[in-house]
Amino acid sequence: MELFDNLLMGLSTALQLNNLIFCLIGVVIGTAIGVLPGIGPIPTVALLLPFTFGLSPASAMIMLAGIFYGAQYGGSTTAILVNVPGETSSVVTCIDGHEMAKQGRAGTALAIAAIASFFAGTMATIVIAVLSVPLSVLALKFTAVEYFSLLVLGLIAAVVLAHGSVAKSLAMVLLGLLLGLVGIDVSSGVARMTFGIAALSDGLDFVPIAMGLFGLGEIIANLERPAERRVVSQSIRSLIPSWQDLRAAFPAVVRGTALGSVLGVLPGGGAALPPFSSYALEKKLARDPSRFGKGAIEGVAGPEAANNAGAQTSFIPLLTLGIPANALMALMIGALMMQGIQPGPQIMTEQPKLVWGVIASMWVGNLMLLIINLPLVGLWVSMLKIPYRLLFPAIVLFCCIGTYGIANSLFNVWLMMGCALIGYFFIKIGVEPAPLLLGLVLGPQLEENFRRAMLIADGDFTVFLSRPISAVILAVVAALLLAMLSPAILRTRKEALAE
Amino acid sequence: MTRSRTDLQDLLFGLFLLAVATGTLVATRNLTVGHAADMGPGYMPRVVALALMAFGVFFTGRGLWRAGRGIAPVQLRPLLAILASVGVFALTAERLGLAVASVAAVMLASFATREGRLVETVAFAIVLSGAAVLLFVKLLGLPIPIWPR
């Protein structure tokens, strides 16, 4: 059994003491940012990238991955107890989870959320492991032509499935591509758009851009709307759900896991789509839909399972093909590149220890999260008492030092400041910055593969259509774009994404 | 959100894209473009900039054409305080050292909200500064001076 051998190899990497420690650090930090509203996983991962330089690639990825799925877990605590989503993905959990807390069933809601997440995490790990092998075999047939088409698919799919206007997202991808072109051109050695600034010759660092756009821009916008937080005061009585609760929740957990696993693989779906779809599904299937919104346990179990499964399966495109499904995965690609690993379709065959180590660590991390989240829930609740007025200056300071630390350059700090302004501008005009980050990270690879493909084909554009794999990929791109134009799909997309 | 006769969100985005595209075309005007089989360094930037320009024209036009959402009023206090905090850090970090720059950055950032109390902010800034020095310089070995040189 090749799959079995691979998983064993992964486990041997994941269970090394130092990797266990980094996994634990990742999930603890992840839970903390999940619990605290006001800072998301993207700026946190960006902030922590400089710390990972000294680590082995596997340890770095294990820790960063832990932050991501840890945040999905932690978000539900805040949603249930405070009725504020700690994370975008737990918006739905607020509805019935907080209602349960108000009825004195906070402990049950927290426990169900954690158990659902753990179940989903375990199943998603298996899905990743099973899917990885055939995908990596396919990936070995890729040349520059196919890889270019694949990158186009990654970008377009991310746009189509993401929040907000498709046209705006497309424009943002282009903007990101453009920023990715800044620096010395690899093949001719000519400086492009560097404006004579030496710090730009290596290209724009994406960490200051991510921190500025996602971290600081968001903080400025947050400060404009005064938010109040009220923790449900009654003590959490029992964390052990009754047999009846478990029986009611279990089918929802299974459906949520299946739905989340599928939606997670799709690029761009990311955080919001799986839990919303699961909630809608549970409500539709329920014998008495009117219970929803009044503390229905399925309304917590399904979405929590879906969001955790989705968070994990969104690693599939990254780990098997080397293309990111969302902005966070783009940062992960950046982390790999900083480690000197060229992401691409060969990643699985060239870095099996890394890939399988990360996959196995996810299950280990999920086990840790179950332990961290349930018995220690009191600790996380007390973290909610840190007032925002103290929290945000600390985040700003750490962002400054973090960006500086990437290249010991003050230029990056100025760049982050500029991006904070632009990020705020984007929020004001209602544009999502995530596609920009994808374009920025994929831009250089897109250009390189395009130029190489054109060189192979002697400038003949039809090469992208005459090669079968590339043609199929581009057909999917065309289908996605056409589907976006159809009014029926536009309507369901709006419903699915409506908050 | 106020309603307005033009779609201000689209309009501003369109103008922003037009500015970026124009800037790119100007900045890359001296680069060789080449042709598809042998692309020069200017090929991709030019192609992307032209596409951005098309989007810019589209959004500007749509913004002017249709009525839409206005923009929530800009509050200058958080915006300026956060930007100033980052700027002051960039100006002082290498000259005055991390300890001083951290205190200055935290204090300035705290001005972003009216909730802050002076004593608490000063104390918190000093604590954070100490933590930052310990973590980044002592533990992680970031090559940045701690005190003014």
Side-chain angles (χ1 to χ4, degrees):
Chain A
M1 276 296 277
E2 197 192 344
L3 179 67
F4 226 67
D5 293 342
N6 286 333
L7 277 176
L8 275 181
M9 175 178 66
L11 270 176
S12 72
T13 308
L15 291 178
Q16 280 165 16
L17 185 65
N18 61 331
N19 286 341
L20 278 177
I21 294 172
F22 286 117
C23 187
L24 184 66
I25 296 176
V27 294
V28 168
I29 297 175
T31 310
I33 55 165
V35 169
L36 294 171
I39 179 157
I42 291 174
T44 312
V45 167
L47 191 61
L48 290 172
L49 277 185
F51 295 100
T52 64
F53 291 171
L55 307 179
S56 74
S59 305
M61 290 301 281
I62 285 173
M63 183 175 95
L64 296 175
I67 294 171
F68 181 46
Y69 56 77
Q72 311 283 322
Y73 255 75
S76 58
T77 307
T78 322
I80 291 167
L81 294 176
V82 201
N83 202 20
V84 170
E87 216 51 65
T88 28
S89 58
S90 39
V91 174
V92 203
T93 311
C94 286
I95 309 172
D96 281 289
H98 189 65
E99 208 56 42
M100 283 176 76
K102 280 205 282 194
Q103 294 163 9
R105 306 211 301 145
T108 311
L110 287 169
I112 284 293
I115 293 167
S117 298
F118 176 70
F119 178 84
T122 307
M123 296 315 281
T125 306
I126 297 173
V127 171
I128 296 175
V130 170
L131 273 184
S132 298
V133 178
L135 271 176
S136 66
V137 171
L138 177 73
L140 284 179
K141 299 199 168 77
F142 280 31
T143 66
V145 177
E146 284 82 15
Y147 198 45
F148 171 79
S149 302
L150 185 68
L151 288 168
V152 172
L153 172 66
L155 287 173
I156 297 292
V159 162
V160 169
L161 294 161
H163 277 273
S165 143
V166 174
K168 281 183 181 166
S169 301
L170 278 175
M172 291 297 270
V173 166
L174 287 172
L175 208 55
L177 287 180
L178 193 64
L179 293 178
L181 295 177
V182 171
I184 304 276
D185 171 35
V186 191
S187 28
S188 63
V190 179
R192 297 190 291 190
M193 298 177 277
T194 58
F195 305 100
I197 301 168
L200 281 180
S201 51
D202 280 341
L204 290 166
D205 256 322
F206 53 85
V207 174
I209 295 183
M211 281 203 226
L213 285 184
F214 291 91
L216 299 184
E218 192 70 43
I219 286 177
I220 300 171
N222 271 341
L223 285 167
E224 288 192 350
R225 26 175 203 263
E228 48 173 327
R229 295 190 224 157
R230 217 175 287 125
V231 182
V232 167
S233 53
Q234 69 260 58
S235 61
I236 299 150
R237 263 172 250 148
S238 161
L239 279 170
I240 301 163
S242 69
W243 184 240
Q244 216 180 342
D245 286 330
L246 278 178
R247 232 185 16 208
F250 187 70
V253 171
V254 174
R255 286 189 291 263
T257 303
L259 197 62
S261 298
V262 174
L263 292 176
V265 185
L266 300 177
L273 198 57
F276 276 104
S277 318
S278 164
Y279 192 79
L281 180 72
E282 290 311 320
K283 203 171 170 180
K284 201 163 257 173
L285 290 177
R287 225 171 285 159
D288 175 17
S290 68
R291 284 189 307 118
F292 281 76
K294 293 177 194 149
I297 200 163
E298 301 95 315
V300 178
E304 280 297 316
N307 97 46
N308 210 52
Q312 272 179 247
T313 54
S314 66
F315 277 88
I316 291 178
L318 174 76
L319 291 176
T320 57
L321 302 170
I323 59 164
N326 51 46
L328 204 113
M329 295 299 133
L331 277 183
M332 298 272 184
I333 292 244
L336 283 178
M337 293 198 287
M338 285 182 166
Q339 295 273 4
I341 294 175
Q342 188 59 44
Q346 281 81 22
I347 188 165
M348 265 202 120
T349 39
E350 278 168 14
Q351 303 283 344
K353 278 222 164 88
L354 169 78
V355 171
W356 289 100
V358 173
I359 293 175
S361 83
M362 287 181 179
W363 187 75
V364 177
N366 270 287
L367 199 61
M368 289 180 183
L369 279 167
L370 195 62
I371 298 162
I372 290 171
N373 269 265
L374 284 182
L376 297 184
V377 70
L379 183 78
W380 301 116
V381 173
S382 64
M383 256 184 63
L384 281 169
K385 293 184 184 126
I386 303 173
Y388 197 59
R389 69 169 190 278
L390 295 181
L391 200 57
F392 80 83
I395 299 170
V396 173
L397 174 64
F398 287 133
C399 283
C400 287
I401 306 176
T403 27
Y404 176 83
I406 292 157
N408 300 324
S409 104
L410 285 176
F411 176 80
N412 275 350
V413 183
W414 290 116
L415 177 62
M416 180 177 76
M417 186 177 112
C419 288
L421 183 65
I422 296 172
Y424 174 75
F425 170 70
F426 285 155
I427 292 174
K428 278 282 163 191
I429 60 170
V431 187
E432 275 282 319
L436 187 151
L437 201 59
L438 281 177
L440 174 64
V441 172
L442 294 185
Q445 297 181 56
L446 194 76
E447 188 195 16
E448 200 189 313
N449 283 290
F450 182 54
R451 283 166 92 158
R452 210 180 289 156
M454 285 291 94
L455 213 62
I456 300 170
D458 203 20
D460 179 10
F461 286 101
T462 57
V463 69
F464 294 111
L465 299 174
S466 57
R467 302 238 185 155
I469 299 180
S470 166
V472 170
I473 298 174
L474 287 181
V476 176
V477 171
L480 277 175
L481 285 176
L482 277 177
M484 285 322 298
L485 297 175
S486 109
I489 291 195
L490 271 179
R491 219 176 306 122
T492 39
R493 178 172 175 272
K494 208 173 258 175
E495 273 167 24
L497 295 174
E499 280 175 31
Chain B
M1 267 310 161
T2 46
R3 305 286 302 176
S4 68
R5 259 184 300 150
T6 52
D7 190 333
L8 211 52
Q9 295 197 335
D10 271 6
L11 183 61
L12 287 175
F13 188 47
L15 293 175
F16 173 77
L17 292 180
L18 284 178
V20 172
T22 316
T24 308
L25 290 178
V26 173
T28 58
R29 67 189 180 284
N30 293 326
L31 298 180
T32 6
V33 174
H35 48 89
D38 179 25
M39 281 174 234
Y43 191 94
M44 284 292 276
R46 213 64 73 81
V47 170
V48 177
L50 287 176
L52 268 185
M53 191 161 263
F55 273 107
V57 170
F58 168 72
F59 283 116
T60 311
R62 197 172 78 170
L64 288 173
W65 184 256
R66 71 174 191 190
R69 291 144 297 178
I71 302 259
V74 172
Q75 292 178 24
L76 282 178
R77 190 184 177 106
L79 180 65
L80 293 180
I82 301 290
L83 293 183
S85 165
V86 177
V88 159
F89 183 86
L91 286 175
T92 57
E94 282 184 351
R95 267 171 253 171
L96 299 181
L98 184 60
V100 178
S102 300
V103 172
V106 172
M107 298 270 296
L108 264 173
S110 305
F111 280 118
T113 143
R114 287 198 176 80
E115 285 170 41
R117 294 149 216 169
L118 194 62
V119 181
E120 182 196 74
T121 308
V122 174
F124 185 62
I126 292 170
V127 170
L128 265 187
S129 164
V133 168
L134 271 182
L135 179 64
F136 288 92
V137 184
K138 298 288 180 198
L139 217 61
L140 294 163
L142 192 71
I144 186 172
I146 302 176
W147 301 110
R149 296 188 255 215

